[in-house]
Amino acid sequence: MQKKPDYRALVYGVVIGLAAGALIMYALFSVHPVHIARGTTDNLTSVNIIYYNNFTQHIYSGGSLTGFTMPIGSTYTYNFTIDYYNYTYSETVYSIGVVDSAFKIYSVRPSLPITISPRGRANISLLLLSPNYSYYGPLNITIVYRKSLNGS
């Protein structure tokens, strides 16, 4: 008499494999935006600016700016303005960076640090390098600054 195969081990293996695959996919796509598009451009849906204030350890979002499209693996000059509405303190910007490591900042103009006087404005120009694959999603920029009284 021939023994029937035990399919329980096979079913358990398949279930565990599917669960592990789903977990890996979740981990990959929850950390980074989906990079599945097969085009020849990077479509940045928006530019989000996140400010870190060393003076009060306050973190806040500067809002969302208009996105743009650029060819993959190319450079792009992105310009934006920081309007500073405080009447008393100056603001010194010490660093500007990108959160998604797929993008690189080649240069910042004017050179850092940049001091903005009360009720002042700074026009910033970033030279960005895009990744060598098609990207669809936001670009998150971080700005680290410090407030100071009378330029101190």
Side-chain angles (χ1 to χ4, degrees):
M1 180 175 223
Q2 196 173 26
K3 185 177 178 183
K4 289 186 179 179
D6 185 8
Y7 291 107
R8 284 183 286 176
L10 178 62
V11 170
Y12 289 139
V14 169
V15 169
I16 289 172
L18 289 173
L23 184 62
I24 290 169
M25 296 300 283
Y26 173 77
L28 287 174
F29 293 123
S30 66
V31 174
H32 296 288
V34 179
H35 303 280
I36 296 177
R38 290 185 173 83
T40 58
T41 60
D42 292 317
N43 184 1
L44 290 105
T45 55
S46 64
V47 178
N48 304 311
I49 302 198
I50 306 158
Y51 291 90
Y52 294 87
N53 180 339
N54 283 352
F55 186 65
T56 61
Q57 297 301 312
H58 179 66
I59 301 170
Y60 67 96
S61 172
S64 182
L65 303 173
T66 304
F68 55 93
T69 300
M70 62 190 288
I72 62 171
S74 67
T75 57
Y76 182 87
T77 301
Y78 185 74
N79 300 304
F80 64 99
T81 301
I82 299 174
D83 288 313
Y84 187 55
Y85 296 107
N86 193 295
Y87 285 96
T88 308
Y89 295 95
S90 295
E91 177 180 271
T92 301
V93 175
Y94 290 100
S95 72
I96 299 176
V98 290
V99 176
D100 189 335
S101 61
F103 290 86
K104 305 288 183 218
I105 296 179
Y106 269 180
S107 67
V108 177
R109 296 281 181 250
S111 298
L112 299 175
I114 302 166
T115 300
I116 307 168
S117 60
R119 304 278 303 155
R121 165 182 279 189
N123 295 313
I124 308 294
S125 181
L126 303 178
L127 182 60
L128 299 170
L129 174 65
S130 70
N132 286 323
Y133 52 84
S134 188
Y135 175 91
Y136 181 85
L139 175 65
N140 297 308
I141 296 174
T142 58
I143 296 178
V144 176
Y145 73 98
R146 181 175 181 211
K147 292 181 182 180
S148 59
L149 187 59
N150 297 327
S152 57

